[in-house]
Amino acid sequence: MVSMLLDLKPELASRPNDRQQSALHVAAVNGSIAAATEILQHSPDAAESKDKDGRNAVHVAVSNVDTLRGLLKVIGPAEVINQGDSAGNTPLHLAAKMAHVQSTLTLLKDPRVNPCLLNRDGHTARSLVEERLAVGEMDAYVVYLWEKLKKQEESRCKNLQHLPPVATYQSLRRRSHRSAGSGNGDYFELGVGTYTLVATLIATVTFAATFTMPGGYNQTSGLAIHADRAAFDIFLVSNTVAMCSSITVVFCFIWAWRDPVKFNLEHLRWVHMLTVIACLAMIVSLMTSVYLTVLPTKRWPAYLVITIGACTPVVVILILGKEAFYIPFVQKTVLPVDVKSHNSNGDIQI
């Protein structure tokens, strides 16, 4: 439909609405990469169009990391990606100021994005993150984001003297501890507690399964009755993987409670992955245990249990979609359809 309309009237690509948003802005707000691609193919100059706040479509897309990734693939000029709005904020400035961790990291991975640019107040994206400390909004994820931005400045900015002074890690840590009672700190503690609880339960169950082998033990020799079967080997390996993965998660989160500032997003990715592996291994352990002990006498219940176990990961993916592959305790904000305005702090008002 977008292609048909633009074939008939190409000027529609640059015609603004009552909020001075072009069609490309609206496509970015709604997360329609297909529509944005058609608009840019018909009118490449549409990427330079600005709304009433001087923001282009990339600025708008920072609130939705999936939309941002799609736009970066179809927008070519670096000038557009590094374009400043009415306050001089580039998309990287805006993503950092709004503490959208995934969007900021996505922009930093793009070689066209310049982390050395200053807005009209003389701030880089890194110094905007540091400013959040003044109101006590810094959590472990934002500290991790600050570290990434600082490294990018050090490696890519030739003249560091013209950049705002860099805060020390010690000052960030002190301010982070002072804001430990904020909602972000509670949010991180909720994530740590949930992972720890799940991992502890898996470790307990799999440890108990080690001493209650499927089918039991031979009373004479003391060996497992099904030790000579291939399914028993699968049970042993999967049960061990589940237990050791969950123990690793619990052990890692001991340090998360001790110093959440150092426990950054990379660590959380690892423990999330290990938790998923432990859950999958526990399902395999269940299926092989049923196969060894129930299948010889009751076929249809055993096959039903095995089928349910095999379908569990598929059901999770069907319910959660792509969210199943993301860390659930990393805050992610998706921009709704209707964006009314931006306030003086740069936050989007819905």
Side-chain angles (χ1 to χ4, degrees):
M1 184 63 71
V2 171
S3 178
M4 183 184 71
L5 290 171
L6 291 176
D7 285 338
L8 293 173
K9 291 189 175 182
E11 66 272 13
L12 291 176
S14 57
R15 182 180 297 176
N17 61 13
D18 56 351
R19 293 189 295 274
Q20 298 300 309
Q21 295 173 325
S22 68
L24 187 60
H25 284 92
V26 178
V29 167
N30 287 275
S32 178
I33 301 303
T37 303
E38 286 293 336
I39 293 169
L40 290 170
Q41 286 178 350
H42 282 79
S43 179
D45 293 339
E48 300 178 12
S49 59
K50 299 180 179 181
D51 61 13
K52 63 180 182 179
D53 296 309
R55 294 174 178 174
N56 59 33
V58 185
H59 284 96
V60 176
V62 298
S63 294
N64 187 329
V65 66
D66 295 324
T67 305
L68 180 62
R69 290 191 183 108
L71 273 182
L72 291 176
K73 292 179 181 178
V74 296
I75 291 181
E79 292 79 7
V80 175
I81 299 174
N82 292 305
Q83 195 173 61
D85 60 11
S86 56
N89 290 317
T90 67
L92 182 62
H93 281 95
L94 194 60
K97 188 174 184 178
M98 298 168 67
H100 286 294
V101 178
Q102 297 290 356
S103 294
T104 308
L105 296 178
T106 299
L107 288 167
L108 288 177
K109 291 178 182 178
D110 194 310
R112 296 169 296 177
V113 175
N114 186 356
C116 312
L117 297 177
L118 304 176
N119 64 9
R120 292 190 177 179
D121 294 328
H123 285 293
T124 62
R126 182 263 312 160
S127 61
L128 284 176
V129 172
E130 293 174 357
E131 284 237 315
R132 296 180 68 89
L133 289 169
V135 290
E137 295 182 0
M138 185 72 73
D139 66 4
Y141 304 127
V142 185
V143 173
Y144 170 75
L145 184 61
W146 168 78
E147 291 175 347
K148 287 292 185 181
L149 288 166
K150 183 164 67 77
K151 288 180 181 178
Q152 287 289 323
E153 282 190 8
E154 292 172 352
S155 61
R156 297 174 60 181
C157 302
K158 296 180 180 179
N159 193 350
L160 297 176
Q161 294 179 350
H162 289 80
L163 300 180
V166 180
T168 63
Y169 175 79
Q170 288 73 19
S171 65
L172 288 179
R173 184 176 179 182
R174 285 194 300 269
R175 296 182 186 183
S176 179
H177 282 313
R178 285 200 295 268
S179 62
S182 65
N184 285 331
D186 295 339
Y187 189 75
F188 179 76
E189 290 182 6
L190 173 64
V192 172
T194 303
Y195 275 110
T196 305
L197 176 61
V198 172
T200 303
L201 289 174
I202 295 174
T204 303
V205 172
T206 52
F207 182 78
T210 305
F211 297 98
T212 56
M213 293 293 182
Y217 297 92
N218 187 307
Q219 297 299 320
T220 304
S221 63
L223 300 176
I225 293 176
H226 297 296
D228 58 341
R229 302 181 63 180
F232 185 81
D233 297 336
I234 298 175
F235 168 80
L236 280 180
V237 173
S238 61
N239 193 70
T240 303
V241 168
M243 188 181 74
C244 293
S245 298
S246 57
I247 288 176
T248 302
V249 172
V250 174
F251 192 77
C252 288
F253 274 125
I254 294 174
W255 271 258
W257 286 113
R258 179 174 176 269
D259 192 352
V261 176
K262 287 187 177 180
F263 197 86
N264 58 37
L265 192 60
E266 291 295 337
H267 298 142
L268 192 56
R269 283 197 180 98
W270 275 103
V271 297
H272 175 71
M273 182 174 61
L274 287 173
T275 304
V276 172
I277 291 173
C279 291
L280 293 174
M282 191 166 61
I283 293 174
V284 174
S285 178
L286 166 70
M287 292 190 295
T288 52
S289 178
V290 171
Y291 178 84
L292 288 169
T293 57
V294 180
L295 186 60
T297 56
K298 295 183 178 181
R299 286 187 171 274
W300 76 263
Y303 285 134
L304 179 60
V305 171
I306 292 172
T307 302
I308 293 173
C311 291
T312 300
V314 178
V315 172
V316 172
I317 294 175
L318 288 176
I319 294 174
L320 297 178
K322 293 185 293 184
E323 296 293 328
F325 302 99
Y326 298 142
I327 302 172
F329 290 100
V330 175
Q331 295 181 6
K332 176 185 175 184
T333 303
V334 178
L335 191 65
V337 172
D338 191 15
V339 177
K340 298 298 184 185
S341 63
H342 299 75
N343 64 15
S344 59
N345 294 324
D347 296 327
I348 295 178
Q349 302 296 305
I350 308 302

